[in-house]
Amino acid sequence: AITAGTETNFAALVPTTTNGVPVPPSTSSVPHAAVSPAVTITKLLVNPSGRPSAVGETNVFTITINNGGAIPLDVVPVVDTYNTNLLRYVSSLPASVDNNDDGTINWTNVGPLGVGGTVTITSRFAVLTSGTGTNTALSTPSTTNGVPVPPVTSSVPHVAFSPSISIVKVVSSPTNRPAAIGEQVQFTIAVTN
């Protein structure tokens, strides 16, 4: 099958005998259909939303796989990759087959997914340090008859920062000498984020 569609395949037989006498032709036909699988994957950072993460905070990602094609997907494996310098894997739902915190999380099969079916994976990571990274999900499902579907991937960036504040207090008046009794003393306090 090259493309999705419905068609009829015809066969015709026009034999002749050994002495050249024609035999009435015979035909047979059979209809056939081909469907095209169409799977999508979407990875999102759902918490925190609209802002960078703070070091020590938990990042929550979702991976949503949707079967938008016309054929069921029997096996739906998912691989999620992340930077172990920035994030530490905490947990996922459904649970992954490994909990090694080695930069790759695997689900051998979150399917089957019928036509129009959707599955969502939620994963949690502790933010270890400041920086910018990309968390990527990949799925290479196969149809119910074992035919592989082209892989789909989705990535989402994440940013983390380390909150830091400093405070400096200095005498601004009088300067370079002690204050006299009864004299006003002024201080300047500088707070820097």
Side-chain angles (χ1 to χ4, degrees), residues 41-44 135-138 152-156:
I41 188 169
T42 306
K43 175 119 191 181
L44 298 172
N135 194 302
T136 302
L138 167 76
V152 289
T153 186
S154 181
S155 298
V156 63

Side-chain angles (χ1 to χ4, degrees), residues 111-169:
L113 280 181
V115 174
T118 298
V119 64
T120 298
I121 299 168
T122 302
S123 54
R124 292 173 168 35
F125 296 85
V127 178
L128 299 176
T129 188
S130 297
T132 301
T134 302
N135 194 302
T136 302
L138 167 76
S139 183
T140 308
S142 57
T143 62
T144 54
N145 59 0
V147 176
V149 177
V152 289
T153 186
S154 181
S155 298
V156 63
H158 57 90
V159 178
F161 64 91
S162 212
S164 177
I165 192 165
S166 65
I167 186 167
V168 177
K169 183 175 183 178

